[in-house]
Amino acid sequence: MLQHFDARDDTDILAGYTFCATMQLRTPLRVLLRHGEKHVGFSEPPVIAREQWEGIWIPVPKSWAELGFDLPELPGGTMASEVGQIPADGGEFLQFLIAVRQLVETDESATARRRKLEIELMKTRWLAFVGPLGGKEKVADKLLPPFLLTIESLVHDTVVQLRTARLTTPRAIGAAPDAKLLAIKGVGPAKLKLIRACCTDVLDPDDEYVDLLVR
């Protein structure tokens, strides 16, 4: 898969490529860490992004000096991100994304990672990003969502009642009798079947959070 624009017809004004990671919470750490990587010349750059949404190689123009002009170099510019325009080098938002992904991409339980993430998101340094992303809870839910939120089409009232009944893990829900689940608002025979199926398709039945991360 080609991960960059083909700029080989413009070798007189271009120096090569630079890798641009997608500045979003879902972007894997392995990709974020290589944002800004340079590839000189026009041979095929190395594959960094497994999917195009993770990032792309983009052409890099030669400097004014390389083109033979005695002019001030152009400023670095900006790029799009999940929180709006940020410096082209990623700035503080890239550091935020790296800090977050370093916490969530470990082998600890999803619950342990979720707790550490929530603590990290309360740091003053990151408040400028956590707010625009919807707040601490929403950010955490995007990365390590509660198991109940991964069950298709469960309405809010149903989730609240399941939490009140302490039915938040696949094992707890799986052990509950049908009558107890059917007594919960929004759970009928069809939804009960769906819930049962979701409880059998998990890696850790005792964890109330789920790892759906792309790494």
Side-chain angles (χ1 to χ4, degrees):
M1 179 180 67
L2 193 64
Q3 295 186 75
H4 59 85
F5 301 107
D6 192 344
R8 284 171 289 187
D9 293 336
D10 298 309
T11 55
D12 55 333
I13 61 171
L14 297 175
Y17 301 100
T18 188
F19 183 73
C20 182
T22 302
M23 294 294 158
Q24 296 181 349
L25 286 167
R26 65 173 180 159
T27 304
L29 180 63
R30 59 177 167 77
V31 175
L32 293 170
L33 290 174
R34 298 183 69 175
H35 178 74
E37 184 171 311
K38 308 295 184 188
H39 181 78
V40 179
F42 295 92
S43 61
E44 192 73 15
V47 174
I48 294 178
R50 296 171 186 165
E51 300 290 341
Q52 194 162 354
W53 66 262
E54 296 178 347
I56 61 171
W57 287 98
I58 59 176
V60 179
K62 292 179 179 178
S63 66
W64 286 125
E66 290 173 320
L67 291 172
F69 297 102
D70 184 17
L71 295 170
E73 296 299 334
L74 298 174
T78 62
M79 66 177 293
S81 80
E82 204 167 1
V83 295
Q85 291 295 308
I86 60 174
D89 64 3
E92 273 289 286
F93 188 57
L94 174 58
Q95 298 311 308
F96 166 73
L97 293 177
I98 289 173
V100 165
R101 297 296 301 202
Q102 284 176 331
L103 284 176
V104 299
E105 291 190 31
T106 70
D107 294 328
E108 291 184 285
S109 71
T111 294
R113 285 178 281 157
R114 169 93 181 204
R115 289 171 180 163
K116 290 182 179 180
L117 174 60
E118 289 175 347
I119 292 171
E120 183 71 21
L121 294 174
M122 289 190 292
K123 290 184 177 179
T124 303
R125 180 183 179 186
W126 307 134
L127 292 181
F129 307 126
V130 175
L133 289 170
K136 180 184 71 172
E137 197 74 16
K138 188 169 183 179
V139 171
D141 284 352
K142 283 184 178 181
L143 296 164
L144 297 165
F147 170 68
L148 294 177
L149 296 186
T150 67
I151 300 176
E152 183 181 358
S153 68
L154 276 192
V155 299
H156 176 72
D157 287 348
T158 303
V159 172
V160 170
Q161 288 192 38
L162 286 168
R163 285 174 172 166
T164 301
R166 297 185 178 180
L167 299 175
T168 57
T169 68
R171 191 181 300 281
I173 297 171
D178 287 354
K180 184 173 184 177
L181 294 175
L182 289 169
I184 291 175
K185 181 180 179 180
V187 179
K191 188 59 62 66
L192 175 63
K193 184 177 180 180
L194 172 64
I195 292 172
R196 293 289 192 210
C198 291
C199 288
T200 62
D201 187 26
V202 293
L203 293 176
D204 186 349
D206 294 311
D207 206 326
E208 64 178 298
Y209 297 98
V210 181
D211 182 349
L212 300 178
L213 300 168
V214 175
R215 301 184 182 224

